[in-house]
Amino acid sequence: MLEKSRLTQLLIFGILAIVSYAIYNKYYAPESDTEYEPFTKGYSLEGVIIRNSNESGEITSTIESPSMIHYADTELSEIKSPKYTMHQSDGDWVFTSVVGEINKGQTTIYFPELVDLSFDSESTEAVAIQTSQLTIDLNEKTGVTDSKISIKRPGLFLTGLGSVINFTDQSIEILEDMYAEFEN
């Protein structure tokens, strides 16, 4: 009798377990076609140096970085501590920041945090620019920001809010609240 009672209890608990599992699978289990998600969705590179060239083989830009991560789902590439150099016939523009982002089509670089720009050539005086949230159009060789900008060159200090920079002809248009100091 005791054996029959234990067997009945075991059978009832087994049936309840199967019913519970069926209810859970039908109403509460997450719906997924795959059993697991892949760990990575992209790749990373260490000790990166990327050189871009034009149709005639001349190096037009260089990106140097200790590490870079490319996200396959958004096709965005995040560059850690980038040093981006835009090579031009009359001198080089050099951009340094904590982080940079290259878009899917590799047509823009975005510097969300503080970025230092410098232009130094033999024919013109050195220029140092500091801003943030700078977007550079690599095809047009222009930069746009809505953030505060400061520009220093010998005898001149400018600040303002927002700017459009043309790197080809070294022109800078400050959009708002321009302040200038000149030194003789």
Side-chain angles (χ1 to χ4, degrees), residues 163-179:
S163 65
V164 177
I165 305 169
N166 185 323
F167 298 109
T168 305
D169 65 9
Q170 291 97 34
S171 66
I172 302 170
E173 178 185 354
I174 296 179
L175 303 176
E176 296 179 38
D177 300 331
M178 187 172 86
Y179 171 79

Side-chain angles (χ1 to χ4, degrees), residues 48-131:
V48 178
I49 298 176
I50 300 170
R51 291 184 179 94
N52 296 310
S53 61
N54 59 16
E55 295 81 25
S56 53
E58 298 174 69
I59 302 295
T60 57
S61 65
T62 305
I63 300 172
E64 298 175 55
S65 170
S67 68
M68 178 176 156
I69 300 171
H70 178 78
Y71 298 99
D73 52 351
T74 62
E75 295 198 33
L76 177 83
S77 297
E78 184 178 283
I79 312 164
K80 302 290 183 183
S81 302
K83 178 183 176 189
Y84 172 70
T85 306
M86 184 183 294
H87 304 288
Q88 296 183 328
S89 59
D90 56 345
D92 292 342
W93 282 96
V94 179
F95 306 76
T96 56
S97 184
V98 175
V99 67
E101 299 172 353
I102 300 175
N103 72 335
K104 176 181 178 178
Q106 298 179 358
T107 57
T108 64
I109 295 179
Y110 175 63
F111 295 100
E113 298 183 23
L114 189 65
V115 59
D116 292 310
L117 294 75
S118 62
F119 180 78
D120 196 9
S121 76
E122 296 175 11
S123 61
T124 61
E125 295 176 334
V127 176
I129 302 171
Q130 196 172 62
T131 189

